[in-house]
């Protein structure tokens, strides 16, 4: 008879517990915010606060599930994080936030696209930046011109579409 291999005692997963706390926090904010909405459900009982409440309760359920799994040690071991790509994406998001009202949607989002492409291994920013700006401009045109929704225009948008 062979003896079973010794099992290492499972440890609680601290990262998963932090994620569970974040889910619970987001759910709490959503419940608090939905409580402030006027519940105009009428005869059906479904109003503007209904969907946020459902989503919040689902997030609470996920938080509880994550805590249980974290305490049981059910999560698989995670590989070491590759930090530079994450920093490229964070830098792209920061650049988009800073430049959105200065450079406009197309240029700011094009920069985000190029930085994200760099994070995924496309090192030629001179190629990915114009591609990103073109894609973002098409998105801007659909939202701004067809759907009549407001996205911040910049010099490129003003050059193509003269806006008063």
């Amino acid at each position: 008879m062979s003896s079973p291999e010794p099992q290492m005692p499972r440890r609680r997963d601290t990262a998963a517990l932090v994620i569970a706390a974040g889910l619970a926090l987001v759910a709490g904010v959503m419940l608090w915010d939905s409580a402030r909405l006027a519940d105009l459900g009428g005869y059906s009982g479904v109003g503007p606060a209904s969907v946020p409440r459902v989503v919040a309760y689902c997030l609470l359920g996920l938080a509880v599930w994550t805590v249980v799994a974290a305490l049981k040690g059910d999560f698989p071991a995670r590989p070491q994080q590759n930090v530079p790509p994450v920093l490229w994406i964070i830098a792209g998001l920061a650049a988009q936030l800073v430049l959105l009202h200065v450079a406009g949607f197309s240029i700011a989002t094009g920069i985000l696209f190029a930085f994200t492409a760099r994070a995924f291994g496309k090192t030629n920013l001179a190629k990915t930046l114009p591609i990103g700006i073109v894609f973002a401009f098409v998105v801007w045109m659909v939202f701004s011109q067809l759907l009549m929704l407001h996205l911040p225009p910049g010099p490129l948008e003003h050059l193509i579409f003269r806006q008063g």
Side-chain angles (χ1 to χ4, degrees), residues 42-136:
Y43 70 90
S44 67
V46 177
S50 300
V51 172
R53 284 187 188 131
V54 169
V55 171
Y57 287 129
C58 288
L59 287 175
L60 280 176
L62 286 173
V64 169
W65 189 4
T66 303
V67 166
V68 170
L71 293 178
K72 288 170 63 176
D74 284 348
F75 285 101
R78 289 175 290 281
Q80 185 67 26
Q81 183 65 268
N82 190 1
V83 176
V86 174
L87 294 177
W88 273 103
I89 293 172
I90 290 172
L93 286 167
Q96 184 191 34
L97 286 172
V98 169
L99 296 173
L100 194 59
H101 291 289
V102 177
F105 179 83
S106 298
I107 294 173
T109 305
I111 292 171
L112 172 61
F113 178 89
F115 280 29
T116 303
R118 173 65 177 90
F120 280 95
K122 298 293 183 188
T123 56
N124 189 354
L125 288 176
K127 183 178 179 182
T128 57
L129 183 61
I131 292 170
I133 291 173
V134 169
F135 281 149

